[in-house]
Amino acid sequence: MAKKSKKTPPTAAPVAPALPPEVLAALGQQPTHQEPRTFKSEGVGAIIAAGWKAIFRPGENSLRVHMAAQFYPWKVGGLVLAAGVVAARAAAVSGTHALVLALATGTGAWAALRILRTVKARKHRATKLASEWAEVDPAHARVCAAAAGVWLMAVILIQPSTLTAWWWSGLVGLLALLALGSRFWAHHRVPRVLAAVDEAVAPPPPPGEHVVARKWRTRVANGNGALPGTKLTDLVDESYGVRGRLHLVPGRQTITSVRAAQGYIATALGVSEADILIEQVEPTEDDPKPDSSILDVKVVTVGMLTQKVPLEGERLVVDGDDVSIRMGPYADGDGEALWRLYTADSIWGGFVAGSTGSGKSGLIDALALGIWQTQNTIVIYLDPKNGGSSPRIFDRAHWSVGKDPGTWDAILDGLIEVIEARGLENSARLKVSGFTPSKERPGIVVIVDECHVVINPGNAERWGRVGREGRAAGVQAVYASQIYGLQTFGGDDAVRSSATAGNTVALRVSRNQSTMIADIPLDPSTLPKITGVGLVDSGREAPFKAAWAPSETTAAQMDAALEHAPQELDPLAAGAFDAGTKGLYSRRHEIAEQQVANAEERLRAYESGRVPAAREATDTEMALPNITGPTLFEIPDIDPALLTDTDLGLGILAAANRDPHEELLATWSGAARAVLATLIEHGSLRRGEIEQRVMEAEQCSRATVSRALDDLAEAEVIEPLPKRKGWQLTA
């Protein structure tokens, strides 16, 4: 039997895909799927299509999309103009048409505002911007609608028929458009739109990149950033925020330039300047000389400076002969700012600067508490506000003196007498060259509050001796003031140098004052407006938060510390102090009681309507008010020789011939002083000329000159000329 071969069904011949569907159906085949035919323009058609797309379907990155908000008032103005032309032609038919159109215009303006407040209007592309504006500034939107309606009704009623009439009508409409659109354009600025687009198209971060590192890379280290080419590495999340290493471009950037750009860095990272801590890398045994182009950086993000630090417990840090007072923790919680009180053979004072509300009084209270906790130091307190600066210290100090310049000078003489007596004791009896405190031979710290009132040119040299020579005799001063200029130290730079040799603390101060505090590398004027936040000249270059407690708590802690503190000076110091003050020291309690009694008698006389008895020279004087900023002039001291009968007239004439600008210039420094000198020389100048001259003289930036102008204007030292023609000194 022959083997049957398997027959394969005949395959249909391939049919060209171009055959019509009915032919394919007759052949028993299904029509193949074909892409729909599309029209592809070429030549002139392609140009027309491209123009159509550019006008009606622009791309996301086109200029029209970026400038949509800027073009919108012009689009609305064009529509109103077109409506006005049509309405004017229709109103020319008859008076009835004009009245109907005018009524329809008013109704339409009211209806348009109602429609723009709906949800559909906010979603519709054509009305989205107008709807958002009606929501943001409804009053201005109503004014715009009313203005458009008034212009349309005016065109309907006037019915301009000539080119001149239409020209004037269009000009009025154009001016109204520019006036009303300025507020809309001011809100929708081009930089805001472009910034939003840039953020939207920013590339995604690399895998594992920290969010702070990405902000640094895209906003600080890019070509247009404040520190191009830098980078952050080794970022680690901490309890206070983030820490890491900042790599600078060697040879192009330093820690000084980084700190100069700290304001820009703060805005880039979204934190305040005080929350960015930039320091040199600490040497270690493995790396004794770290690379200066690599810095430690910390970004505080949890607001530690806003948290209250309780003033409690032992305030002292003792390391052998070194004794320091804890002022408060640094912004990142890593360590505390310290006030150096004692080192081997020496006692140290210092200066505290802070404007009103900065926490200066609370910090002085904390320092006094720490001094008493040493159990071997007494406190003398001078306060021109009669204890108003710190009633707690005034009531507990070894000797407290209010506004009594005569007693201030007597105390100063007594301190110098103690310094000389102890110096003699060191060389003749103890055979030592310094001072070591003990309860039997206590140290003396004089707290001089509002020191710009206490120190003057007549006693500045003696206060300077206390700072220079008192270190080895156990006598020092702690000065506090709201201003830091030379007038704070009696015009003597030597006094300022000796006062700040031990400790300098800057709480929040004005920008003009911050330029004078050279001991602190950072800018105290950039500190946040938080009470107790400050900077120190030693330790870390980072803000700290001063410890604080309510008045009752602080007073109770002071009383507890005073139980173990010395109540009297050693016989040698007490005798020298009494001799230097001509007996006032031994009579200090008696004098204080008499002053209180005289003050009470005077107050009772006022309350009962009687005339107070004649005041004694030792009576308590009226307390001075707070001084919240730099003084614009100083009252000149009058030489007693000028008060004689033979020289009175000549002395007054000599004082009158002084150049008033000298005292004004002495009050300011840096760029502000250069601005004043320029205006004194030329009378008045334009802002650009002032900036150019001061930048050349001080080698500073334009921003520094601008801040100086703002400070001087705020202090009413200079004033602008009319019509922005420049600046001049205030009359």
Side-chain angles (χ1 to χ4, degrees):
M1 180 181 236
K3 191 174 182 181
K4 294 184 179 179
S5 60
K6 208 181 258 188
K7 293 183 180 180
T8 58
T11 58
V15 181
L19 293 176
E22 57 272 14
V23 176
L24 293 175
L27 294 175
Q29 295 185 4
Q30 296 293 331
T32 59
H33 176 72
Q34 292 182 345
E35 293 293 331
R37 299 178 66 185
T38 58
F39 172 76
K40 294 183 178 180
S41 56
E42 298 178 359
V44 177
I47 296 174
I48 297 175
W52 178 273
K53 183 178 179 180
I55 296 174
F56 296 101
R57 302 173 71 179
E60 290 298 325
N61 295 324
S62 66
L63 182 63
R64 271 192 57 195
V65 172
H66 288 177
M67 301 288 290
Q70 305 298 311
F71 291 149
Y72 196 77
W74 296 106
K75 291 167 61 176
V76 174
L79 291 175
V80 173
L81 177 62
V85 173
V86 173
R89 302 303 298 171
V93 176
S94 66
T96 303
H97 284 73
L99 293 176
V100 171
L101 287 171
L103 181 62
T105 299
T107 305
W110 175 84
L113 287 176
R114 303 291 295 181
I115 294 173
L116 290 176
R117 302 298 293 270
T118 62
V119 177
K120 289 185 177 181
R122 296 193 191 101
K123 295 181 178 180
H124 196 269
R125 187 175 66 178
T127 58
K128 182 179 180 180
L129 282 171
S131 181
E132 290 177 352
W133 185 246
E135 185 72 22
V136 172
D137 196 344
H140 187 263
R142 287 194 292 269
V143 172
C144 293
V150 169
W151 186 84
L152 284 173
M153 285 190 285
V155 169
I156 292 170
L157 297 176
I158 296 173
Q159 299 177 13
S161 57
T162 63
L163 182 61
T164 303
W166 273 113
W167 188 89
W168 282 107
S169 301
L171 179 61
V172 171
L174 176 62
L175 295 177
L177 173 65
L178 294 175
L180 295 173
S182 60
R183 188 177 180 89
F184 183 86
W185 285 317
H187 181 77
H188 295 85
R189 294 182 182 273
V190 175
R192 294 185 183 180
V193 177
L194 294 179
V197 173
D198 291 341
E199 288 289 334
V201 300
E209 184 180 30
H210 197 282
V211 61
V212 174
R214 178 172 182 261
K215 289 181 178 179
W216 190 283
R217 175 174 58 82
T218 58
R219 300 176 181 177
V220 180
N222 59 4
N224 297 323
L227 298 172
T230 58
K231 64 178 180 178
L232 291 181
T233 62
D234 304 328
L235 289 180
V236 179
D237 290 320
E238 299 286 356
S239 58
Y240 57 82
V242 181
R243 66 175 173 87
R245 291 292 174 88
L246 170 59
H247 297 259
L248 306 180
V249 179
R252 294 181 55 190
Q253 296 155 342
T254 65
I255 188 172
T256 303
S257 61
V258 174
R259 285 174 173 162
Q262 198 156 325
Y264 301 103
I265 298 173
T267 58
L269 301 184
V271 297
S272 66
E273 292 187 46
D275 289 332
I276 302 175
L277 314 181
I278 299 173
E279 301 172 285
Q280 297 281 5
V281 177
E282 289 291 332
T284 61
E285 293 183 0
D286 297 333
D287 188 10
K289 296 193 70 175
D291 189 346
S292 61
S293 67
I294 302 176
L295 306 175
D296 268 332
V297 60
K298 296 179 181 179
V299 181
V300 181
T301 59
V302 298
M304 297 188 68
L305 293 178
T306 61
Q307 300 175 4
K308 290 185 178 180
V309 178
L311 180 68
E312 58 186 10
E314 182 69 26
R315 306 305 303 168
L316 300 179
V317 176
V318 181
D319 183 11
D321 293 330
D322 297 343
V323 180
S324 301
I325 302 173
R326 296 189 294 119
M327 292 187 287
Y330 289 109
D332 57 357
D334 184 10
E336 287 191 272
L338 301 178
W339 178 280
R340 179 176 57 172
L341 182 60
Y342 287 110
T343 57
D345 299 329
S346 295
I347 183 175
W348 298 90
F351 178 74
V352 178
S355 58
T356 301
S358 63
K360 176 166 58 68
S361 297
L363 180 58
I364 295 297
D365 280 353
L367 293 178
L369 174 61
I371 292 170
W372 282 320
Q373 286 183 348
T374 62
Q375 302 182 13
N376 54 26
T377 313
I378 69 167
V379 172
I380 296 174
Y381 188 48
L382 309 184
D383 182 17
K385 294 165 64 178
N386 289 336
S389 298
S390 177
R392 294 159 294 283
I393 302 177
F394 197 85
D395 292 341
R396 293 166 176 82
H398 185 72
W399 190 1
S400 297
V401 180
K403 185 175 180 290
D404 189 349
T407 305
W408 296 341
D409 282 343
I411 288 177
L412 181 55
D413 292 336
L415 293 174
I416 293 176
E417 195 75 23
V418 172
I419 292 172
E420 293 179 352
R422 281 187 169 176
L424 186 61
E425 182 185 28
N426 285 347
S427 60
R429 290 183 179 176
L430 304 178
K431 306 301 181 181
V432 296
S433 60
F435 177 80
T436 300
S438 64
K439 201 164 187 177
E440 294 73 25
R441 193 175 185 239
I444 303 173
V445 174
V446 185
I447 299 178
V448 186
D449 225 326
E450 307 295 339
C451 63
H452 55 274
V453 179
V454 178
I455 306 176
N456 56 60
N459 59 27
E461 191 275 334
R462 288 180 291 158
W463 281 111
R465 286 192 63 188
V466 172
R468 292 189 305 272
E469 303 174 19
R471 191 174 306 148
V475 179
Q476 273 299 307
V478 175
Y479 304 98
S481 179
Q482 301 171 32
I483 52 180
Y484 187 80
L486 278 181
Q487 68 269 30
T488 306
F489 303 95
D492 193 332
D493 192 55
V495 181
R496 180 166 63 178
S497 299
S498 63
T500 58
N503 303 273
T504 303
V505 179
L507 304 174
R508 188 180 68 253
V509 296
S510 67
R511 283 179 293 186
N512 180 64
Q513 294 296 312
S514 66
T515 59
M516 303 182 189
I517 308 178
D519 299 319
I520 296 178
L522 303 183
D523 186 357
S525 67
T526 63
L527 293 174
K529 293 184 178 180
I530 301 173
T531 302
V533 176
L535 298 165
V536 292
D537 64 332
S538 59
R540 293 183 55 196
E541 296 176 354
F544 75 94
K545 179 62 178 294
W548 175 87
S551 300
E552 298 79 7
T553 305
T554 304
Q557 290 182 327
M558 288 179 175
D559 291 336
L562 282 169
E563 292 180 1
H564 306 284
Q567 303 301 317
E568 297 295 337
L569 285 172
D570 56 288
L572 175 70
F577 210 175
D578 201 46
T581 59
K582 296 180 174 57
L584 291 182
Y585 174 71
S586 59
R587 296 177 50 242
R588 65 188 185 280
H589 299 304
E590 175 189 343
I591 294 172
E593 292 174 359
Q594 186 61 47
Q595 287 178 338
V596 172
N598 292 346
E600 286 293 336
E601 173 60 28
R602 186 180 179 190
L603 294 175
R604 284 194 294 269
Y606 288 139
E607 291 171 345
S608 61
R610 294 183 290 105
V611 177
R615 297 181 57 195
E616 300 292 336
T618 57
D619 284 354
T620 301
E621 294 189 30
M622 192 171 48
L624 293 178
N626 281 324
I627 298 177
T628 58
T631 54
L632 301 185
F633 60 90
E634 297 293 330
I635 299 175
D637 293 323
I638 300 177
D639 189 345
L642 299 180
L643 299 180
T644 62
D645 295 337
T646 58
D647 195 37
L648 180 60
L650 295 177
I652 294 176
L653 290 176
N657 289 330
R658 293 178 184 175
D659 184 1
H661 294 145
E662 291 182 4
E663 294 166 341
L664 179 61
L665 289 173
T667 308
W668 301 84
S669 66
R673 181 187 177 96
V675 170
L676 289 176
T678 302
L679 292 178
I680 290 171
E681 180 181 357
H682 296 89
S684 64
L685 287 174
R686 293 186 177 273
R687 188 185 187 97
E689 296 175 342
I690 296 174
E691 292 175 346
Q692 187 64 32
R693 294 175 186 271
V694 175
M695 288 166 60
E696 293 176 356
E698 294 292 318
Q699 295 297 311
C700 60
S701 65
R702 191 180 302 275
T704 301
V705 183
S706 179
R707 288 195 298 267
L709 287 169
D710 293 341
D711 289 340
L712 292 169
E714 184 178 352
E716 298 183 354
V717 182
I718 64 174
E719 60 184 1
L721 294 173
K723 299 182 180 180
R724 298 184 178 181
K725 290 185 177 181
W727 292 85
Q728 66 178 5
L729 293 174
T730 304

